[in-house]
Short mmCIF file of all heavy atoms in Angstrom, two decimals:
data_model
loop_
_atom_site.label_atom_id
_atom_site.label_comp_id
_atom_site.label_asym_id
_atom_site.label_seq_id
_atom_site.Cartn_x
_atom_site.Cartn_y
_atom_site.Cartn_z
N ASN R 1 58.52 17.73 17.22
CA ASN R 1 58.92 16.79 16.17
C ASN R 1 58.56 15.36 16.55
O ASN R 1 58.12 14.57 15.70
CB ASN R 1 60.42 16.88 15.91
CG ASN R 1 60.76 18.05 14.98
OD1 ASN R 1 60.03 18.31 14.03
ND2 ASN R 1 61.84 18.74 15.25
N ALA R 2 58.73 15.01 17.83
CA ALA R 2 58.38 13.66 18.27
C ALA R 2 56.88 13.42 18.14
O ALA R 2 56.44 12.35 17.71
CB ALA R 2 58.83 13.44 19.71
N ALA R 3 56.08 14.42 18.49
CA ALA R 3 54.63 14.31 18.37
C ALA R 3 54.22 14.15 16.91
O ALA R 3 53.34 13.35 16.57
CB ALA R 3 53.95 15.52 18.98
N LEU R 4 54.87 14.91 16.03
CA LEU R 4 54.56 14.82 14.60
C LEU R 4 54.87 13.43 14.07
O LEU R 4 54.06 12.84 13.35
CB LEU R 4 55.36 15.88 13.84
CG LEU R 4 55.22 15.85 12.31
CD1 LEU R 4 53.77 16.10 11.90
CD2 LEU R 4 56.14 16.89 11.67
N GLN R 5 56.04 12.90 14.41
CA GLN R 5 56.41 11.57 13.94
C GLN R 5 55.45 10.52 14.44
O GLN R 5 55.10 9.56 13.73
CB GLN R 5 57.84 11.25 14.39
CG GLN R 5 58.92 12.09 13.73
CD GLN R 5 58.88 12.02 12.21
OE1 GLN R 5 58.66 10.96 11.63
NE2 GLN R 5 59.10 13.16 11.56
N ALA R 6 54.97 10.67 15.68
CA ALA R 6 54.02 9.70 16.23
C ALA R 6 52.70 9.74 15.47
O ALA R 6 52.09 8.70 15.20
CB ALA R 6 53.79 10.00 17.71
N LEU R 7 52.25 10.93 15.10
CA LEU R 7 51.00 11.06 14.37
C LEU R 7 51.11 10.52 12.95
O LEU R 7 50.10 10.16 12.33
CB LEU R 7 50.55 12.53 14.34
CG LEU R 7 50.08 13.11 15.67
CD1 LEU R 7 49.81 14.60 15.53
CD2 LEU R 7 48.83 12.40 16.17
N LEU R 8 52.32 10.50 12.41
CA LEU R 8 52.54 9.98 11.06
C LEU R 8 52.76 8.48 11.06
O LEU R 8 52.84 7.86 9.99
CB LEU R 8 53.75 10.68 10.42
CG LEU R 8 53.59 12.18 10.13
CD1 LEU R 8 54.89 12.77 9.63
CD2 LEU R 8 52.47 12.42 9.12
N ASP R 9 52.86 7.87 12.25
CA ASP R 9 53.11 6.43 12.36
C ASP R 9 51.79 5.69 12.53
O ASP R 9 51.09 5.88 13.52
CB ASP R 9 54.01 6.16 13.57
CG ASP R 9 54.36 4.69 13.72
OD1 ASP R 9 53.92 3.89 12.87
OD2 ASP R 9 55.08 4.34 14.67
N PRO R 10 51.41 4.82 11.55
CA PRO R 10 50.12 4.10 11.64
C PRO R 10 49.99 3.25 12.91
O PRO R 10 48.88 3.03 13.39
CB PRO R 10 50.14 3.20 10.40
CG PRO R 10 51.11 3.85 9.46
CD PRO R 10 52.14 4.49 10.33
N GLU R 11 51.12 2.80 13.45
CA GLU R 11 51.06 1.96 14.64
C GLU R 11 50.49 2.71 15.84
O GLU R 11 49.94 2.10 16.76
CB GLU R 11 52.46 1.44 14.97
CG GLU R 11 53.02 0.46 13.94
CD GLU R 11 52.19 -0.81 13.84
OE1 GLU R 11 51.71 -1.27 14.89
OE2 GLU R 11 51.99 -1.31 12.73
N THR R 12 50.64 4.02 15.84
CA THR R 12 50.18 4.81 16.97
C THR R 12 48.66 4.73 17.13
O THR R 12 48.14 4.85 18.23
CB THR R 12 50.59 6.29 16.79
OG1 THR R 12 51.98 6.34 16.50
CG2 THR R 12 50.34 7.09 18.06
N LYS R 13 47.96 4.54 16.03
CA LYS R 13 46.50 4.48 16.10
C LYS R 13 45.96 3.08 15.87
O LYS R 13 44.76 2.87 15.82
CB LYS R 13 45.86 5.44 15.10
CG LYS R 13 46.20 5.16 13.64
CD LYS R 13 45.55 6.16 12.70
CE LYS R 13 44.05 6.07 12.71
NZ LYS R 13 43.41 6.80 11.62
N GLY R 14 46.85 2.09 15.74
CA GLY R 14 46.42 0.73 15.43
C GLY R 14 45.47 0.16 16.46
O GLY R 14 44.52 -0.54 16.12
N ASP R 15 45.70 0.41 17.73
CA ASP R 15 44.87 -0.16 18.78
C ASP R 15 43.49 0.48 18.85
O ASP R 15 42.62 0.01 19.58
CB ASP R 15 45.55 -0.01 20.15
CG ASP R 15 46.80 -0.88 20.25
OD1 ASP R 15 46.90 -1.82 19.45
OD2 ASP R 15 47.65 -0.59 21.10
N HIS R 16 43.29 1.55 18.09
CA HIS R 16 42.02 2.27 18.17
C HIS R 16 41.27 2.20 16.85
O HIS R 16 40.44 3.05 16.56
CB HIS R 16 42.28 3.72 18.56
CG HIS R 16 42.80 3.87 19.96
ND1 HIS R 16 42.00 3.95 21.06
CD2 HIS R 16 44.07 3.91 20.42
CE1 HIS R 16 42.73 4.06 22.15
NE2 HIS R 16 44.00 4.04 21.78
N THR R 17 41.59 1.18 16.05
CA THR R 17 40.91 1.03 14.77
C THR R 17 40.16 -0.30 14.73
O THR R 17 40.73 -1.35 15.03
CB THR R 17 41.93 1.07 13.61
OG1 THR R 17 42.60 2.33 13.63
CG2 THR R 17 41.24 0.90 12.28
N LEU R 18 38.90 -0.24 14.39
CA LEU R 18 38.07 -1.44 14.27
C LEU R 18 37.93 -1.78 12.80
O LEU R 18 37.51 -0.94 12.00
CB LEU R 18 36.69 -1.18 14.87
CG LEU R 18 35.62 -2.24 14.60
CD1 LEU R 18 35.96 -3.53 15.32
CD2 LEU R 18 34.24 -1.74 15.01
N THR R 19 38.28 -3.00 12.45
CA THR R 19 38.16 -3.45 11.07
C THR R 19 37.09 -4.52 10.98
O THR R 19 37.17 -5.56 11.65
CB THR R 19 39.49 -4.01 10.54
OG1 THR R 19 40.48 -2.98 10.59
CG2 THR R 19 39.34 -4.47 9.10
N VAL R 20 36.10 -4.27 10.14
CA VAL R 20 35.03 -5.23 9.89
C VAL R 20 35.26 -5.79 8.49
O VAL R 20 35.26 -5.06 7.51
CB VAL R 20 33.64 -4.56 9.97
CG1 VAL R 20 32.55 -5.56 9.60
CG2 VAL R 20 33.40 -4.00 11.36
N SER R 21 35.50 -7.09 8.41
CA SER R 21 35.77 -7.72 7.12
C SER R 21 34.47 -8.22 6.49
O SER R 21 33.50 -8.56 7.19
CB SER R 21 36.73 -8.90 7.30
OG SER R 21 37.97 -8.46 7.84
N ALA R 22 34.46 -8.25 5.16
CA ALA R 22 33.29 -8.76 4.45
C ALA R 22 33.03 -10.20 4.87
O ALA R 22 33.96 -11.02 4.95
CB ALA R 22 33.52 -8.67 2.94
N GLY R 23 31.79 -10.52 5.15
CA GLY R 23 31.42 -11.86 5.58
C GLY R 23 31.36 -12.02 7.08
O GLY R 23 30.83 -13.04 7.58
N ASN R 24 31.87 -11.05 7.84
CA ASN R 24 31.82 -11.14 9.30
C ASN R 24 30.38 -11.15 9.79
O ASN R 24 29.52 -10.42 9.27
CB ASN R 24 32.53 -9.96 9.95
CG ASN R 24 34.05 -10.08 9.95
OD1 ASN R 24 34.75 -9.13 10.23
ND2 ASN R 24 34.56 -11.26 9.63
N THR R 25 30.11 -11.96 10.80
CA THR R 25 28.79 -11.97 11.44
C THR R 25 28.78 -10.95 12.57
O THR R 25 29.82 -10.45 12.99
CB THR R 25 28.47 -13.35 12.00
OG1 THR R 25 29.42 -13.66 13.03
CG2 THR R 25 28.53 -14.42 10.91
N LYS R 26 27.60 -10.68 13.09
CA LYS R 26 27.50 -9.72 14.20
C LYS R 26 28.24 -10.22 15.44
O LYS R 26 28.74 -9.42 16.24
CB LYS R 26 26.04 -9.42 14.52
CG LYS R 26 25.24 -10.62 15.01
CD LYS R 26 23.78 -10.26 15.26
CE LYS R 26 22.97 -11.46 15.76
NZ LYS R 26 21.55 -11.12 15.97
N ASP R 27 28.34 -11.54 15.61
CA ASP R 27 29.06 -12.08 16.76
C ASP R 27 30.57 -11.86 16.62
O ASP R 27 31.25 -11.56 17.59
CB ASP R 27 28.77 -13.58 16.92
CG ASP R 27 27.35 -13.84 17.42
OD1 ASP R 27 26.76 -12.91 18.02
OD2 ASP R 27 26.85 -14.95 17.21
#
């Protein structure tokens, strides 16, 4: 149950998500 709740929590994967916003340069 603890593992399931962790997988349902967006914060658990937050550090492993790359967000590229429109207008971002390659730098």
Side-chain angles (χ1 to χ4, degrees):
N1 278 321
L4 176 62
Q5 292 304 320
L7 290 174
L8 294 174
D9 182 1
E11 293 297 322
T12 309
K13 61 181 295 192
D15 292 341
H16 293 274
T17 299
L18 169 68
T19 299
V20 176
S21 299
N24 282 168
T25 63
K26 63 182 180 182
D27 288 339

